[in-house]
């Protein structure tokens, strides 16, 4: 619900504009407003001071304030409406939007070259191990359907590598949602958003069928509300991928390898993933 703050001195109480330089004034103003939203000066639904008041406070044009608002709107922190009851209102970004933004920042951080593949693997192991345990305890029927769907779809032997890996990502993301812990979901979604980079290491030796069987075992444990079984199934899956990664890297040590060292040459052709027309896992009765 939107909450209008009264115009005048009480509007945004506790928020004091700091001096800015002429260069990138809109960016500096946006940074200050973002910080004020983050520290609770304005809550979701609150209306920010008017363009006129902010322009006057900062000593800039209203066009500069509009540009600052557009910067905030691009990250889903505010939205603007017209009319007598309109203005610029603080919004609460959705978890998937925040996760995508964090994922993009993580991707940039990876490219700096100081994050190892081993660190990424360890973070995923720790986070997803808890997600599968919580998913077994907290999942709903809708969650269960969302987890099962990509496993079923992955049985299609005509899928390209990109399509098959998209199903893989959907499966693990659905588990994160089923855990019902927003902080874990946010962290895990961010990790998954950069997984295509580390997945590039696996394509030369990865076979679909073992992964499909492992996904099904994880699904079954979550379906049966068996947290210990879910953790055991995930552990087997993670250990398998670690072994595949070691074989894919051959004489390179993934513990020392930076994510930034993964080159475009290691990305697969459309159908590099090995396919085997084997009997799919039996569906639950």
């Amino acid at each position: 619900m939107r909450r209008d703050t009264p115009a005048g001195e009480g509007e945004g109480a506790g928020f004091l504009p700091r001096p800015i330089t002429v260069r990138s004034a809109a960016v500096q103003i946006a940074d200050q407003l973002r910080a004020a939203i983050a520290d609770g000066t304005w809550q979701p639904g609150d209306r920010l001071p008017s363009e006129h008041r902010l322009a006057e406070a900062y000593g800039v044009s209203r066009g500069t304030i509009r540009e600052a608002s557009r910067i905030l709107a691009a990250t889903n922190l505010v939205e603007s409406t017209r009319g007598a009851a309109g203005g610029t209102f603080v919004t609460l970004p959705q978890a998937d939007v925040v996760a995508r933004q964090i994922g993009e920042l993580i991707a940039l951080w990876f490219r700096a070259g100081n994050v190892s593949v081993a660190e990424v693997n360890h973070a995923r192991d720790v986070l997803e191990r808890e997600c599968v345990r919580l998913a077994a305890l907290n999942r709903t029927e809708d969650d269960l359907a969302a987890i099962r769907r990509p496993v079923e779809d992955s049985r299609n032997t005509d899928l390209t590598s990109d399509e098959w890996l998209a199903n893989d990502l959907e499966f693990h993301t659905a588990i994160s949602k089923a855990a019902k812990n927003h902080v874990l979901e946010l962290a895990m979604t961010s990790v998954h958003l950069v997984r295509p980079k580390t997945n590039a290491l696996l394509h030369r030796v990865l076979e679909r069928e073992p992964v499909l069987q492992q996904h099904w075992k994880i699904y079954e444990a979550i379906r049966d509300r068996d947290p210990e079984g879910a953790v055991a199934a995930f552990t087997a899956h993670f250990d398998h991928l670690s072994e595949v990664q070691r074989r894919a890297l051959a004489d390179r040590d993934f513990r020392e390898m930076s994510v930034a060292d993964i080159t475009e040459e290691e990305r697969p052709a459309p159908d590099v993933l090995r396919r085997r027309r084997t009997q799919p896992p039996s569906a639950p009765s």
Side-chain angles (χ1 to χ4, degrees):
M1 177 182 292
R2 292 175 174 171
R3 298 181 295 151
D4 291 351
T5 53
E9 294 301 320
E11 197 171 46
F15 174 68
L16 297 175
R18 299 190 302 276
I20 60 172
T21 62
V22 175
R23 184 174 178 272
S24 302
V27 173
Q28 294 178 70
I29 293 169
D31 285 345
Q32 290 189 32
L33 296 176
R34 184 184 297 108
I37 292 170
D39 70 19
T41 300
W42 291 297
Q43 300 293 323
D46 285 349
R47 182 166 56 183
L48 297 185
S50 66
E51 284 183 3
H52 174 75
R53 279 183 49 77
L54 286 174
E56 193 175 66
Y58 280 109
V60 298
S61 70
R62 293 177 66 174
T64 299
I65 299 301
R66 280 193 291 274
E67 179 61 24
S69 295
R70 281 194 287 269
I71 292 171
L72 294 178
T75 54
N76 297 283
L77 283 177
V78 301
E79 63 177 4
S80 298
T81 59
R82 297 180 178 179
T88 301
F89 294 87
V90 176
T91 59
L92 183 64
Q94 295 299 309
D96 59 341
V97 174
V98 176
R100 184 175 67 251
Q101 293 166 352
I102 292 175
E104 290 166 354
L105 290 174
I106 291 175
L108 290 172
W109 182 42
F110 283 171
R111 284 198 288 272
N114 59 353
V115 179
S116 71
V117 173
E119 288 176 301
V120 177
N121 291 347
H122 184 217
R124 181 187 174 189
D125 183 23
V126 171
L127 291 169
E128 194 160 11
R129 189 179 299 273
E130 182 63 10
C131 282
V132 297
R133 188 186 73 82
L134 289 175
L137 294 172
N138 300 327
R139 61 84 175 164
T140 65
E141 290 302 313
D142 286 343
D143 291 326
L144 200 59
I147 295 168
R148 176 171 174 160
R149 182 169 53 250
V151 183
E152 298 281 9
D153 291 346
S154 294
R155 294 173 179 169
N156 181 353
T157 56
D158 292 326
L159 293 178
T160 66
S161 297
D162 286 343
E163 291 168 339
W164 193 83
L165 289 172
N167 279 334
D168 175 82
L169 187 60
E170 182 183 343
F171 170 76
H172 289 284
T173 300
I175 290 173
S176 302
K177 292 181 180 296
K180 299 295 185 282
N181 182 306
H182 290 99
V183 176
L184 274 177
E185 180 187 347
L186 183 62
M188 202 63 242
T189 301
S190 300
V191 170
H192 288 321
L193 286 169
V194 295
R195 277 184 56 210
K197 186 76 170 173
T198 54
N199 278 347
L201 298 171
L202 307 177
H203 296 298
R204 288 186 174 86
V205 294
L206 184 66
E207 295 180 359
R208 297 184 180 187
E209 186 59 28
V211 174
L212 179 57
Q213 295 285 350
Q214 291 157 16
H215 282 184
W216 189 261
K217 287 180 184 292
I218 295 171
Y219 162 79
E220 286 184 314
I222 293 173
R223 180 199 64 194
D224 296 342
R225 299 192 184 278
D226 178 6
E228 292 183 0
V231 170
F234 170 74
T235 300
H237 175 55
F238 185 83
D239 289 347
H240 171 76
L241 294 181
S242 297
E243 177 57 30
V244 170
Q245 195 173 81
R246 278 191 287 271
R247 286 191 281 117
L249 288 173
D251 58 346
R252 289 186 290 177
D253 187 347
F254 76 92
R255 292 169 299 182
E256 302 296 331
M257 185 180 186
S258 165
V259 174
D261 292 336
I262 303 173
T263 64
E264 287 300 315
E265 287 73 20
E266 287 166 306
R267 289 191 58 78
D271 292 315
V272 165
L273 285 181
R274 299 179 185 176
R275 301 173 182 181
R276 290 183 179 176
R277 292 181 179 273
T278 56
Q279 183 68 28
S282 57
S285 57

